[in-house]
Amino acid sequence: MVNLTIHPDKRKARIHKEIYGHFSEHLGRCIYGGFYVGEDSPIPNVRGMRTDVVEALRKIRIPVLRWPGGCFADEYHWMDGIGPKESRKKMINTHWGGVMEDNSFGTHEYFELCEQLGCEAYVNGNLGSGTVKEMSEWVEYITFEGVSPMADLRRQNGSENAWKLPYFGVGNENWGCGGNMTPEYYANEYRRYQTYVRDYKNPDNHGQKSINKICCGPNVDDYEWTRGVMDTCFRHCETRFHGNMDGLSLHYYVHPEGWEIKGSATDFDDKTWYKTLSKAWYMDELVRRHSEIMDEYDPAKQIALVVDEWGAWYTVEPGTNPGFLYQQNTIRDALVAGITLNIFNKHADRVRMANLAQTINVLQSVILTDGADMLLTPTYHVFDLYKDHQDNDLVKSFIDSPETGAEAEYRVPQITESASVDKDGLLHITLTNASLAERTEVKAMICGHRVLSADGGIVCGAMDQKNTFEEPDQVTVQNFSDFQITEDGLTVNLPPRSVLHLAVKTA
Ligand code: AHR
């Protein structure tokens, strides 16, 4: 038995809905064939965007979509993606498979997609190979409502009104594919580039901020990068600079067998299951340690840690283009997602956005497509289970879970949890059970409240269970009622290999 204690009246932080964000890069079949099929496609679409995909993502209330990369962002020249499609410049996507990019999906198409999805925009600018002028003009093109060269060009290209741009990334992975910079060099570049990312809706800098600027943060455990960037950006205690950095990104991928080998998405043994999940749990340490460094410069936590790339990264599916990063998705990925999202919830005071990599057909996707067919992955169903945490208050909770795992090096808490209260007072609890074999009784004490009723949904199955185009519903959300209401809370019988959501009505 495992004890879980929840204090619904001890509110800790808001779980920003953006924690449940997604990422879309011009990579493989994420944009082309995934989101976008073009207006003339026989696949049902609205202005080129796949109807099935848009509906599925609206259902999980996608809050924000990062675009256009990734490594692609620092090679992308936005002017190539505007104007009549037939005259748009073509380029080679050198990073991802060396295929031809025809730029038929550009700025207008991206904002059309965000509108159809009902989500916020997060555009990542090009600092690695672009100029300050180019970045500045992109922001003018997107956001300026008055008369100006870029706003006029936007109108000429069919969009009378400016768009909302709540998030703008100033470069991507500038320690690597975005220019191989040192932390100090990048931080100085950040200071310069961001100066010209003008907030036209807030010209005097006293009103409501409309663009949140995201600075390129560390890869995995590169604490030196975090310190170096923070140090350069905050040198001489420039409190004024606070307003000029709203987020610092963090990228972390789970590779079961390391970066070189990675490992199969579907063919793995018990040891690899635990190794993968312990690597997912490592996110907790990363968030804590990077946050501690940020605290030294920003104790009030005004700057968000934005985990704008995360997920499991395996060897590509046999027979597919290695540059397209196409992989299947199993119950193991459901656990990776459930564990990671619980970590983000628990750190909601600092982690205020996260973007799973990547939405469709790339890495740990929530959707896979094959021509006109589409399937929802086990990871999708976890986002469906967790969506009720969005914008809730995180509440204080604690679990005394034992560790589980086959090897001492790769142990992981058997049960992880997070709990939040929504605007109607409903308590939402999410639990993961990483054990391959053990059904566990979780005794949840809900302090200061009596449980009236509860509704549950669960994702569970064999460790390598997956959805295929032939059998798309092998893994879905099932109703869950294996719990008893007790005097001081609930007792839940949590099956092995599972991710659970409970919505609990209390008095
Ligand atoms: O998501 C795939 C790639 O991983 C991104 O382009 C890059 O930012 C990261 O290295």
Side-chain angles (χ1 to χ4, degrees):
M1 189 191 65
V2 167
N3 290 301
L4 167 65
T5 312
I6 299 174
H7 298 269
D9 297 326
K10 293 198 175 155
R11 312 282 169 113
K12 297 194 71 179
R14 179 155 78 88
I15 298 177
H16 285 248
K17 64 179 190 308
E18 288 81 359
I19 283 180
Y20 293 88
H22 291 269
F23 170 38
S24 58
E25 181 165 8
H26 288 240
L27 194 179
R29 295 185 299 113
C30 183
I31 299 289
Y32 301 109
F35 281 109
Y36 183 72
V37 286
E39 292 176 7
D40 300 331
S41 171
I43 298 172
N45 69 84
V46 175
R47 289 181 284 285
M49 314 299 157
R50 284 183 76 128
T51 310
D52 50 0
V53 160
V54 168
E55 274 172 11
L57 292 172
R58 284 184 74 94
K59 181 168 180 268
I60 56 171
R61 291 190 224 131
I62 179 174
V64 60
L65 184 67
R66 179 176 181 241
W67 174 84
C71 294
F72 183 80
D74 281 283
E75 284 197 304
Y76 182 61
H77 300 286
W78 68 272
M79 283 219 183
D80 299 344
I82 56 171
K85 294 203 181 195
E86 55 288 358
S87 48
R88 290 188 192 175
K89 189 171 158 186
K90 298 184 174 43
M91 69 183 275
I92 303 295
N93 193 336
T94 45
H95 259 292
W96 304 119
V99 292
M100 201 260 290
E101 161 68 57
D102 69 1
N103 278 309
S104 56
F105 188 98
T107 304
H108 291 253
E109 290 75 19
Y110 168 69
F111 281 97
E112 168 68 29
L113 175 61
C114 288
E115 199 178 313
Q116 290 191 25
L117 292 170
C119 77
E120 311 256 40
Y122 173 10
V123 171
N124 210 115
N126 177 351
L127 180 143
S129 71
T131 62
V132 172
K133 178 171 182 276
E134 185 181 5
M135 186 180 284
S136 179
E137 287 185 339
W138 200 7
V139 173
E140 180 188 329
Y141 187 90
I142 293 170
T143 61
F144 191 61
E145 273 157 5
V147 175
S148 82
M150 290 303 116
D152 291 349
L153 185 59
R154 182 193 68 237
R155 287 189 197 98
Q156 198 182 306
N157 287 327
S159 287
E160 181 55 34
N161 297 323
W163 296 288
K164 274 184 61 202
L165 182 61
Y167 302 103
F168 189 82
V170 183
N172 168 75
E173 296 198 349
N174 303 93
W175 36 260
C177 64
N180 285 305
M181 299 174 189
T182 63
E184 292 71 26
Y185 183 84
Y186 167 74
N188 280 314
E189 288 293 87
Y190 175 79
R191 293 175 66 116
R192 186 163 76 105
Y193 275 69
Q194 71 78 31
T195 306
Y196 304 94
V197 174
R198 302 280 185 213
D199 201 336
Y200 293 102
K201 301 233 167 69
N202 177 21
D204 60 4
N205 226 6
H206 296 301
Q208 184 77 28
K209 196 179 227 339
S210 72
I211 302 178
N212 291 288
K213 299 174 192 174
I214 316 289
C215 175
C216 168
N219 186 31
V220 195
D221 58 352
D222 189 351
Y223 302 111
E224 199 188 319
W225 179 276
T226 300
R227 187 173 294 287
V229 166
M230 294 299 280
D231 211 40
T232 302
C233 286
F234 290 89
R235 194 161 294 163
H236 311 309
C237 302
E238 289 162 296
T239 48
R240 201 174 56 82
F241 200 78
H242 262 287
N244 298 333
M245 189 202 289
D246 303 290
L248 183 76
S249 65
L250 164 66
H251 288 184
Y252 172 55
Y253 288 98
V254 170
H255 309 293
E257 308 299 348
W259 167 251
E260 293 296 332
I261 301 176
K262 297 189 179 71
S264 163
T266 50
D267 186 10
F268 54 89
D269 59 13
D270 295 14
K271 272 191 185 168
T272 313
W273 163 275
Y274 287 115
K275 201 191 269 192
T276 310
L277 300 189
S278 82
K279 289 186 176 192
W281 176 246
Y282 181 50
M283 180 67 90
D284 189 61
E285 177 177 331
L286 292 174
V287 168
R288 261 189 300 108
R289 292 188 60 187
H290 285 294
S291 298
E292 277 163 19
I293 297 171
M294 293 172 78
D295 283 348
E296 292 174 29
Y297 300 86
D298 170 37
K301 300 192 195 301
Q302 286 174 294
I303 301 169
L305 187 62
V306 172
V307 191
D308 57 15
E309 289 187 29
W310 69 272
W313 184 330
Y314 307 117
T315 308
V316 297
E317 286 303 301
T320 64
N321 186 331
F324 281 14
L325 311 185
Y326 176 76
Q327 64 190 41
Q328 250 292 1
N329 200 289
T330 66
I331 284 289
R332 177 175 58 160
D333 297 286
L335 266 293
V336 169
I339 291 169
T340 309
L341 292 170
N342 275 344
I343 295 169
F344 293 157
N345 285 349
K346 301 278 280 193
H347 291 283
D349 58 342
R350 181 64 90 178
V351 179
R352 298 201 282 274
M353 189 188 334
N355 308 77
L356 177 68
Q358 298 191 6
T359 325
I360 312 172
N361 296 328
V362 172
L363 303 178
Q364 192 177 344
S365 312
V366 289
I367 292 175
L368 300 178
T369 65
D370 181 12
D373 294 339
M374 180 197 82
L375 67 80
L376 306 174
T377 67
T379 301
Y380 173 93
H381 294 297
V382 172
F383 273 77
D384 194 17
L385 284 181
Y386 278 55
K387 66 178 185 292
D388 288 330
H389 279 305
Q390 290 189 24
D391 277 339
N392 292 356
D393 286 338
L394 174 75
V395 297
K396 189 173 169 191
S397 61
F398 174 77
I399 195 154
D400 64 357
S401 169
E403 285 190 330
T404 183
E407 295 165 287
E409 206 188 330
Y410 296 114
R411 306 278 291 168
V412 52
Q414 186 197 333
I415 316 286
T416 71
E417 55 77 31
S418 65
S420 71
V421 172
D422 70 19
K423 59 177 183 354
D424 301 318
L426 204 59
L427 174 66
H428 296 274
I429 308 170
T430 44
L431 296 169
T432 61
N433 184 355
S435 174
L436 276 174
E438 217 176 300
R439 176 178 289 276
T440 297
E441 195 176 85
V442 178
K443 201 171 161 334
M445 181 153 85
I446 318 278
C447 301
H449 290 259
R450 196 162 46 85
V451 173
L452 300 177
S453 63
D455 274 322
I458 196 163
V459 171
C460 60
M463 69 179 182
D464 56 357
Q465 204 163 336
K466 59 182 187 289
N467 292 333
T468 62
F469 293 101
E470 294 72 41
E471 293 182 301
D473 295 322
Q474 289 297 296
V475 181
T476 55
V477 173
Q478 303 292 319
N479 284 334
F480 179 83
S481 55
D482 198 358
F483 58 82
Q484 296 80 44
I485 294 175
T486 60
E487 248 174 39
D488 57 3
L490 287 162
T491 300
V492 181
N493 258 309
L494 195 60
R497 294 165 264 101
S498 66
V499 182
L500 173 73
H501 167 239
L502 287 170
V504 184
K505 214 179 206 171
T506 62

